Amino acid sequence: MSSSLSRRLASFFVVCTSAAGVAPVSAEVTPLHADGRVLRDARGATVILRGLNLTGDAKVPPFRGLDDNSQLDVLPSWGVNVARLLFTWEAFEPKRGEYDQSYLDYYTGLVDALAERGVHVIVDFHQDAFSRYATQGCGEGFPEWAVSPKRRKDNPDNLQGCASWGVQMLLDPQTAQSWNDFYAGANGVRASYLSMLDKVSQHLKDKPILGYDMLNEPGGDEVKQIAPLYQDAAMTLRKNDPDAVLFVSPGALTSAGTATALPRPSFDNFVYSPHYYDAGVSQLHSWFGTSLAEPVRTMATQGTTWNVPVIVGEFGATGEGLRSDAYIDEFYTQLDANLLSAAQWNWTPHWTPQKKDGWNTEDFSITDDKGRPRSNYRVRAYPARIAGEAQTFHARYGGGASVELAWKHDPAAGETRVFAPAKALFNSKVSIQAADDLKCAYEENQLWVRCSADSAGNKRVKLTAER
């Protein structure tokens, strides 16, 4: 065991056992690693992650979308076990070479608070359309000083005039110039990005994080520009944190459902982390029944090709869109069919009817201004920990709700845990059907079902409402 992993294990243990004022969680947040196409914990169990991106308004000043750790208390009841936590470079280094330690302290506090609630953290170095000073003021992420001096800088907007920022990004000469300059190493911006990664990973190396998403939806050529950047970024991060999982996000245009052209990275312990947005849902706020099986299969196939896990880093629907509920239901159905991990975009506790998510009038937040779930979100079942190899998982909601998991059991890996809250899913007593020596029962909180067996081999558990 490396010294870095030993320190992190100690940090995870302290965080999970000493959180004052936080309701105890029954799932520890422990280090994971990529093993073939799955994530595993230290005992060899398969781990599936389902959670949220935090937060939509973290992209703009004051870059702090969570201002009270008690806001996170609801996450365990939703079954969230992973948070893709936005880190904004502009917030950390607003002036070149001058770092805002208070922002890093704020971010670190959230990492600890999430771990206290049983939530794994992905450090997400986030940008969209390069910078708030590019794409007609509609981007975010890179600091003002990182924008190319070869073209006029834009004044930040991020309001209603930025509703079509995705199209504006593709047509904006400043954005294209800034990306090309960045990859070419012009003005030292690429070196500054790597220096920023170095400082953040040095600070977080002993903290309970799962790993680092090196750059959200980057622009540029995947083969000639993005791939070499990831190699250098991985080397920088691994220097400080050799055991962290690295998240490889493909180019921004693949979010429409196309396959990536990225070559397989040479480093190890990484996951492929694509995004997906249906054009009708994101632009017209309507789902027209387009197939989701194909784009999810495309993402899963890339994981098979590279022999690495797949974690869908972003997907979502507008909270007031036509058939948003059906779209999200179908997306989760496809995630279950492919046994994929994922984080939905997004949760913004400070959402308002006027500002929406707080950035470019996007409206993907899963809760409203009263903290109530919107049409694009509901509590869902999933198998978070499988003692062995998962085979199939199916969940039905509403009338006739049922949850069923099949797996090849490995007794040495311990217990299998399925999130299936009795009240939220069944609103009644639950019948647990398990054969042979498989023993399954709800935990005291009636949120999680634990299963164990002394014998190896194929196992199956099914949950239905008692009649």
Side-chain angles (χ1 to χ4, degrees), residues 14-34:
V14 170
V15 165
C16 291
T17 57
S18 66
V22 177
V25 296
S26 54
E28 291 186 12
V29 176
T30 57
L32 307 178
H33 64 278

Side-chain angles (χ1 to χ4, degrees), residues 440-454:
C440 299
Y442 267 101
E443 296 177 358
E444 185 178 355
N445 58 20
Q446 295 292 295
L447 297 175
W448 293 86
V449 172
R450 287 180 181 261
C451 294
S452 62
D454 293 330

Side-chain angles (χ1 to χ4, degrees), residues 159-183:
L159 298 174
Q160 291 186 358
C162 293
S164 299
W165 68 269
V167 175
Q168 293 167 252
M169 170 186 73
L170 297 177
L171 302 176
D172 183 57
Q174 171 59 272
T175 304
Q177 187 70 62
S178 292
W179 277 119
N180 286 329
D181 284 359
F182 170 65
Y183 289 120

Side-chain angles (χ1 to χ4, degrees), residues 58-382:
K59 300 178 178 183
V60 294
F63 305 108
R64 292 159 171 79
L66 292 153
D67 48 29
D68 186 337
N69 287 348
S70 67
Q71 293 169 311
L72 303 173
D73 290 346
V74 69
L75 297 182
S77 67
W78 291 347
V80 171
N81 72 345
V82 68
R84 188 166 175 262
L85 187 61
L86 274 68
F87 187 98
T88 305
W89 186 9
E90 181 189 355
F92 182 46
E93 193 180 1
K95 294 183 179 179
R96 190 169 203 154
E98 297 182 15
Y99 299 94
D100 185 348
Q101 185 63 38
S102 70
Y103 177 74
L104 189 55
D105 291 343
Y106 157 80
Y107 191 92
T108 305
L110 287 178
V111 169
D112 287 339
L114 286 161
E116 289 166 3
R117 291 156 177 82
V119 182
H120 292 272
V121 174
I122 301 168
V123 180
D124 167 32
F125 294 107
H126 205 91
Q127 70 76 40
D128 290 292
F130 201 80
S131 171
R132 294 193 304 128
Y133 299 87
T135 310
Q136 294 89 59
C138 298
E140 58 89 18
F142 282 61
E144 178 183 9
W145 54 264
V147 175
S148 175
K150 297 176 183 177
R151 294 184 180 272
R152 180 183 61 84
K153 295 180 182 179
D154 297 314
N155 294 320
D157 183 359
N158 299 125
L159 298 174
Q160 291 186 358
C162 293
S164 299
W165 68 269
V167 175
Q168 293 167 252
M169 170 186 73
L170 297 177
L171 302 176
D172 183 57
Q174 171 59 272
T175 304
Q177 187 70 62
S178 292
W179 277 119
N180 286 329
D181 284 359
F182 170 65
Y183 289 120
N187 309 308
V189 177
R190 190 180 190 274
S192 293
Y193 158 79
L194 295 174
S195 179
M196 180 269 295
L197 297 188
D198 181 50
K199 291 184 180 299
V200 174
S201 58
Q202 177 68 30
H203 184 82
L204 296 177
K205 64 182 179 181
D206 298 326
K207 286 294 180 179
I209 62 167
L210 173 59
Y212 303 89
D213 194 329
M214 294 179 286
L215 191 58
N216 176 74
E217 297 184 8
D221 184 278
E222 289 189 306
V223 175
K224 297 178 180 179
Q225 296 175 317
I226 299 173
L229 178 75
Y230 283 165
Q231 292 294 142
D232 291 346
M235 185 180 302
T236 300
L237 294 166
R238 287 277 166 78
K239 177 184 66 175
N240 297 321
D241 202 346
D243 302 302
V245 178
L246 298 183
F247 291 75
V248 175
S249 178
L253 296 182
T254 65
S255 297
T258 57
T260 182
L262 279 173
R264 190 187 193 281
S266 64
F267 46 84
D268 60 2
N269 196 25
F270 76 94
V271 303
Y272 179 55
S273 190
H275 302 170
Y276 179 73
Y277 290 99
D278 177 87
V281 172
S282 59
Q283 298 299 316
L284 303 178
H285 299 179
S286 300
W287 184 43
F288 302 108
T290 51
S291 171
L292 299 180
E294 182 177 351
V296 174
R297 191 182 306 115
T298 296
M299 294 185 281
T301 298
Q302 190 64 49
T304 301
T305 300
W306 283 356
N307 192 33
V308 298
V310 174
I311 297 181
V312 182
E314 289 184 23
F315 69 97
T318 51
E320 298 173 2
L322 178 64
R323 302 188 70 217
S324 286
D325 53 348
Y327 172 81
I328 293 296
D329 282 347
E330 177 60 16
F331 201 94
Y332 275 99
T333 295
Q334 296 303 326
L335 291 175
D336 291 345
N338 290 276
L339 296 168
L340 297 185
S341 296
Q344 185 171 341
W345 183 271
N346 71 81
W347 180 42
T348 301
H350 291 302
W351 181 94
T352 68
Q354 295 75 34
K355 291 186 177 181
K356 308 297 184 183
D357 296 349
W359 184 77
N360 292 4
T361 65
E362 285 195 338
D363 191 24
F364 288 78
S365 177
I366 64 166
T367 59
D368 63 16
D369 52 340
K370 300 294 192 298
R372 298 170 300 199
R374 304 171 75 202
S375 66
N376 58 356
Y377 190 75
R378 66 162 140 192
V379 173
R380 299 171 195 277
Y382 72 100

